Amino acid sequence: MRRPLRLLKGMARDIIASRELAWRLFVRDTSIQYRQTVFGYFWAVFPPLVTSMVFILMNHSNLLKMKETGIPYPVYVVMGTVFFGLFSDSLMAPLKVVNGSKTMLVKINFPREALVWAAILQTFMGFSIKLVLLILTMIIFHVPVKITSFIVPVPLLGLLLMGITIGVFLVPFGILFQDVMYGLQLALTGLMFLTPVVYPPPSNGLLAKIVAYNPMTTLLMSARDFMIKGSSIYVMDMMIVIIIMILLLFIAWVIIRIAFPIVIERIGT
Amino acid sequence: MDEDTFIKVEHLSKKFCRNLKKSLWYGAKDLVWEIAGQRRGHNILRNGEFWALNDVSFEVKRGEMLGLIGQNGAGKSTLLKVLNGLITPDSGKVTIKGCVQALIELGAGFSPILTGRENVYINASVLGISKTKIDQTLPYIVEFAGISEFMESPVQSYSSGMKARLGFAVITQLDPDILLIDEVLAVGDTAFQEKCMRRMDELRQSNKAIIFVTHSLYQVEALCNKALWLDRGRVVQYGVAGDVVRAYLDNQERLAIDQSQKEGKIYEGHITLATKAYFEKRSREGKGGALVTRFSNTEELIQIRKVEVSDGCGKVGNEFPFLTDLTIRIYYYALARVTRPLFNLRFFSKGYSIFEASMLIDGHGLEWVEGEGIVECTIPALPLTPKLYEIKLFVRSGEGICDVSITRTIAQFRITDDRLERVPLRGPMAVNHMRQGSPVYFPRIWKFYDGDGITLLKKIEAGYDHES
């Protein structure tokens, strides 16, 4: 922090130097993750599938009656959970990758940016598999996609950015204290219900206010709207959220560069 | 800074905390302060903290090798971590010129469930070696590691020695200006350790700056120019490797004597009294012989009590003149009856085995040994040039297959340039070349012939005890 120019130079150098390593780490983590399993890559699909099934069943049996969503409810829920999954995966990924590389971190000085890149790649990978689930659901329920679908990657990128940014911010503290990991898992469950993932945005009540101020709503709803409606009232908000996230990610990046040497000495050998 | 100075460390200090919870809490606080761009109280110790490094200064030049010595917890590894940029110092200055590469642990971050090949690629890329380079050198790596048939098996099925071999094979591909090595040579079998030592010697000769942590004082003296002796974070002595090593040895001996005086102990070798009694009982019952084949590494049948190295006049020491009649006297204790024990003395210089006095070649002496005994080996006119040497001993049982005493270093000695004139020193660099060149001196005869190959023009004879 005391020598900002040198810091920036180092950052530029390391982000370039870390690409190949990031790919290796990604390949390593993916292989480890699925090599000792029977179902392999299906494990990426199971969580959103199960969550969706629960809500579809509850809605179907009138236990939880949702407002009209404009499209078949199963498609609405699957889309919501898949998109929200992108956020939650990218939120958890940085800490997971860092924890998985702890032994290397304390022994070898390699560009730490590689860990963040690897986290992004992993999230992408998981998301691509889940996307297959979404497309299948849409085909089954004959839901056509709108031409504006090509904009969908923008809000999706926003979701990824938001998850990664918060995730990176938490990495230094997450290395020191396991509490961060436990807390994150808990917070995600709560956050899912404060975001219109399984229900359409409510128009009144306390929840309506929370949902309206939740930046996740903007990103999630605009992605949905561009996919099936063809227009969205959230465009401006979405752009603002994305710009803020890019700035925050830069700050988070600076912070982890400063933080790593301090944190590493605390976790020892 | 001097053009050739690669590493310069000035008044470096670093503090650590003994308590985990406190340490984590201090870490979080430091983190917040550092992000705020401020540094507070880095010169004072907080509750529970201590100086892991305290006011350390030194420098390493191109082509130099610095040995770090000191007891466990002296701060050697911490120093390497600071130099490698893994952790930041609390005060002081570190200036580094060139690309640093640290070998703090071989195969750090190997994933047990991935194959050897996959791990090579990951390890290499963490160390900053590109994929294309690894693609090219993979056959060489596999060959160096010597585990080709295991490359496609998961690393979790490897022995620790195999993991170390693979890790070292990868790092031989590195080409840094500055190399930091932390006790990586402590793993693996003897042959592998020798291989590593040779590689280190090559690296030193290729004009790199090397910092080397080890507990083998022989390695420090044989490989390093300079040594730094650390004790509880402070520099005790810094200077020419030989001097520092001697001072350190003196100190260790003093400590050991103090300790044994305090405890009132008499030296009993490595055997516990219970094991000794057990083996004595067995040998009384005539079952001793059977133990030879049931030998395990933890119970060496022949214990080495004491070793004396002396010159032709019987003077015990560790410095001898050139062409001395070297005598190695080994006081052993056989726990049980060992038939036809075969003693092997292997001489090393800079990690290379150069010569062997072996009963595997010369034949056994006694039909059996039991209890205390002494074996002595004299090498008349030892033809070793002035250098530092190390002797390793292992003892095999009668059939020559089974070790009854594992390989260990039993003595280190130095040949001085005293009485070097027992051989002709006619050349322009005779003395210096004897000191720095190859370790063994053999008598020889040189002849110059005319172009026809018959007419002898000149003959030079060089042998022991020439008439001067």
Side-chain angles (χ1 to χ4, degrees):
Chain A
M1 261 316 182
R2 283 177 302 277
R3 271 170 294 187
L5 237 158
R6 206 168 87 170
L7 187 73
L8 284 177
K9 241 191 235 168
M11 286 166 78
R13 186 192 61 224
D14 285 348
I15 198 145
I16 296 164
S18 61
R19 284 171 313 170
E20 190 177 321
L21 175 57
W23 177 252
R24 286 276 144 221
L25 289 176
F26 161 68
V27 172
R28 178 196 71 167
D29 289 345
T30 331
S31 322
I32 292 175
Q33 207 175 347
Y34 297 114
R35 191 159 296 183
Q36 238 180 348
T37 60
V38 178
F39 293 107
Y41 296 104
F42 282 104
W43 280 110
V45 189
F46 289 147
L49 193 65
V50 170
T51 317
S52 306
M53 291 300 271
V54 169
F55 284 98
I56 293 164
L57 271 175
M58 286 211 275
N59 192 49
H60 188 73
S61 52
N62 287 339
L63 275 171
L64 259 175
K65 198 68 204 162
M66 296 297 171
K67 276 201 314 189
E68 188 46 48
T69 52
I71 48 166
Y73 182 68
V75 178
Y76 189 88
V77 171
V78 170
M79 195 178 284
T81 45
V82 168
F83 289 173
F84 187 79
L86 176 63
F87 168 75
S88 59
D89 285 355
S90 55
L91 181 65
M92 302 295 280
L95 203 51
K96 265 192 198 156
V97 174
V98 168
N99 274 330
S101 311
K102 243 182 190 170
T103 47
M104 282 187 339
L105 271 173
V106 297
K107 301 260 158 69
I108 305 170
N109 194 356
F110 58 90
R112 273 61 168 116
E113 282 77 6
L115 296 170
V116 179
W117 280 122
I120 293 174
L121 286 172
Q122 259 187 42
T123 315
F124 257 129
M125 163 93 179
F127 181 69
S128 328
I129 299 168
K130 286 177 190 138
L131 211 53
V132 177
L133 173 72
L134 176 61
I135 292 166
L136 280 177
T137 318
M138 290 178 81
I139 293 171
I140 292 168
F141 289 91
H142 303 289
V143 176
V145 287
K146 287 283 180 323
I147 185 84
T148 47
S149 287
F150 75 92
I151 313 174
V152 172
V154 177
L156 289 185
L157 206 67
L159 282 171
L160 178 87
L161 260 175
M162 190 147 133
I164 290 286
T165 305
I166 302 171
V168 169
F169 262 118
L170 292 173
V171 158
F173 296 97
I175 296 176
L176 290 179
F177 300 104
Q178 285 288 310
D179 309 47
V180 174
M181 191 69 149
Y182 301 142
L184 262 184
Q185 273 154 352
L186 201 64
L188 272 175
T189 322
L191 193 61
M192 181 168 155
F193 293 102
L194 300 179
T195 312
V197 176
V198 295
Y199 55 81
S203 40
N204 49 32
L206 179 63
L207 190 60
K209 274 215 177 88
I210 295 172
V211 166
Y213 284 110
N214 182 353
M216 291 286 300
T217 307
T218 319
L219 297 168
L220 198 71
M221 287 311 288
S222 49
R224 237 188 214 134
D225 289 349
F226 284 129
M227 195 112 170
I228 48 184
K229 257 196 193 158
S231 67
S232 178
I233 49 164
Y234 296 102
V235 179
M236 267 313 287
D237 294 357
M238 179 191 83
M239 295 315 287
I240 293 168
V241 170
I242 288 178
I243 289 166
I244 292 173
M245 281 307 147
I246 290 173
L247 285 174
L248 284 179
L249 181 60
F250 184 77
I251 294 169
W253 180 20
V254 173
I255 287 177
I256 60 159
R257 277 189 74 93
I258 297 167
F260 262 112
I262 296 171
V263 171
I264 280 167
E265 74 171 78
R266 302 292 167 182
I267 52 173
T269 45
Chain B
M1 196 160 98
D2 192 345
E3 173 70 9
D4 276 345
T5 306
F6 276 14
I7 303 172
K8 189 165 189 172
V9 173
E10 293 155 279
H11 307 292
L12 176 74
S13 294
K14 177 80 208 168
K15 53 192 177 178
F16 273 166
C17 182
R18 286 191 187 90
N19 178 298
L20 177 70
K21 279 258 153 95
K22 254 188 204 142
S23 168
L24 295 178
W25 179 239
Y26 289 151
K29 276 211 245 177
D30 288 349
L31 186 57
V32 173
W33 282 119
E34 187 69 38
I35 290 166
Q38 288 183 36
R39 270 209 163 175
R40 295 212 163 180
H42 53 87
N43 275 331
I44 45 161
L45 292 180
R46 290 171 285 196
N47 187 17
E49 284 186 324
F50 65 99
W51 291 110
L53 289 174
N54 197 345
D55 196 21
V56 175
S57 304
F58 63 89
E59 58 175 47
V60 186
K61 291 195 166 77
R62 173 198 297 277
E64 271 189 353
M65 190 155 172
L66 175 77
L68 290 183
I69 54 177
Q71 312 225 303
N72 291 328
K76 304 181 298 282
S77 299
T78 310
L79 181 55
L80 286 199
K81 282 188 182 172
V82 172
L83 292 177
N84 191 23
L86 283 171
I87 57 181
T88 44
D90 284 308
S91 67
K93 199 174 145 201
V94 178
T95 324
I96 282 175
K97 208 160 64 181
C99 154
V100 185
Q101 206 44 265
L103 311 178
I104 293 192
E105 191 183 289
L106 290 175
F110 273 0
S111 320
I113 124 172
L114 300 182
T115 68
R117 180 187 304 275
E118 286 168 309
N119 270 305
V120 164
Y121 277 97
I122 293 160
N123 201 235
S125 125
V126 172
L127 291 167
I129 311 171
S130 70
K131 185 178 175 292
T132 30
K133 176 142 190 232
I134 291 297
D135 283 338
Q136 284 162 10
T137 49
L138 193 67
Y140 173 78
I141 291 177
V142 174
E143 195 220 303
F144 191 97
I147 51 164
S148 53
E149 63 270 48
F150 293 100
M151 282 310 278
E152 305 305 330
S153 327
V155 166
Q156 61 188 355
S157 67
Y158 284 25
S159 72
S160 54
M162 283 158 70
K163 264 183 250 173
R165 276 159 174 273
L166 195 60
F168 194 82
V170 174
I171 58 143
T172 54
Q173 297 306 309
L174 296 171
D175 190 30
D177 305 313
I178 300 160
L179 196 60
L180 312 173
I181 303 171
D182 191 0
E183 282 195 86
V184 285
L185 305 187
V187 288
D189 51 30
T190 325
F192 177 69
Q193 281 188 27
E194 283 165 34
K195 214 170 182 176
C196 296
M197 282 271 282
R198 279 200 288 279
R199 177 72 187 146
M200 302 259 288
D201 205 36
E202 278 168 38
L203 285 172
R204 184 176 57 116
Q205 281 162 15
S206 59
N207 264 336
K208 296 182 191 315
I210 303 178
I211 295 187
F212 177 39
V213 169
T214 179
H215 285 289
S216 161
L217 299 171
Y218 164 74
Q219 288 178 349
V220 172
E221 205 168 345
L223 294 170
C224 302
N225 319 63
K226 280 186 178 173
L228 182 77
W229 167 14
L230 284 175
D231 185 39
R232 271 165 272 173
R234 286 180 177 279
V235 177
V236 184
Q237 200 176 339
Y238 167 54
V240 178
D243 298 345
V244 179
V245 166
R246 263 188 291 277
Y248 180 70
L249 276 174
D250 285 351
N251 182 61
Q252 272 200 323
E253 275 165 18
R254 260 200 308 279
L255 287 176
I257 293 165
D258 286 356
Q259 188 69 21
S260 56
Q261 274 175 349
K262 217 185 287 166
E263 291 171 3
K265 255 190 200 165
I266 305 154
Y267 185 55
E268 255 296 350
H270 306 287
I271 348 158
T272 62
L273 288 176
T275 3
K276 197 170 149 189
Y278 171 77
F279 280 109
E280 275 170 353
K281 183 166 165 279
R282 282 192 68 103
S283 61
R284 268 200 308 278
E285 290 161 358
K287 291 174 186 165
L291 278 165
V292 177
T293 46
R294 288 182 54 194
F295 163 75
S296 75
N297 261 347
T298 47
E299 291 291 359
E300 290 175 80
L301 280 186
I302 290 188
Q303 312 270 358
I304 307 304
R305 291 294 184 76
K306 196 167 86 173
V307 174
E308 281 173 1
V309 187
S310 56
D311 64 7
C313 316
K315 200 177 121 265
V316 177
N318 53 20
E319 290 191 353
F320 304 103
F322 182 54
L323 292 181
T324 188
D325 297 333
L326 192 80
T327 300
I328 301 120
R329 190 172 240 256
I330 300 154
Y331 296 76
Y332 63 84
Y333 184 92
L335 288 175
R337 178 174 293 197
V338 179
T339 46
R340 297 182 183 178
L342 301 165
F343 286 79
N344 296 264
L345 295 168
R346 199 171 273 179
F347 288 65
F348 286 80
S349 168
K350 294 195 175 186
Y352 289 88
S353 158
I354 49 163
F355 159 73
E356 195 164 16
S358 169
M359 289 189 190
L360 283 164
I361 301 166
D362 310 338
H364 68 272
L366 294 174
E367 276 309 309
W368 54 268
V369 295
E370 191 172 354
E372 272 181 62
I374 298 169
V375 61
E376 199 182 84
C377 176
T378 300
I379 301 152
L382 184 78
L384 297 182
T385 59
K387 257 176 214 59
L388 184 71
Y389 297 94
E390 188 181 46
I391 307 174
K392 289 186 182 177
L393 167 78
F394 64 93
V395 188
R396 292 261 170 96
S397 63
E399 70 279 14
I401 301 162
C402 174
D403 278 354
V404 287
S405 181
I406 57 164
T407 309
R408 60 160 60 88
T409 302
I410 54 160
Q412 285 163 14
F413 66 93
R414 184 193 315 277
I415 296 293
T416 61
D417 42 17
D418 200 19
R419 286 201 267 158
L420 211 53
E421 63 288 344
R422 283 184 67 184
V423 295
L425 301 170
R426 304 187 193 104
M429 299 173 73
V431 175
N432 265 339
H433 203 81
M434 282 284 266
R435 296 183 63 136
Q436 287 164 18
S438 303
V440 190
Y441 184 95
F442 293 114
R444 56 264 185 161
I445 300 160
W446 297 90
K447 284 173 187 169
F448 276 102
Y449 288 101
D450 197 11
D452 60 8
I454 300 160
T455 324
L456 182 66
L457 297 175
K458 178 75 186 168
K459 189 168 141 188
I460 316 169
E461 274 183 84
Y464 310 146
D465 293 314
H466 65 112
E467 300 107 50
S468 48

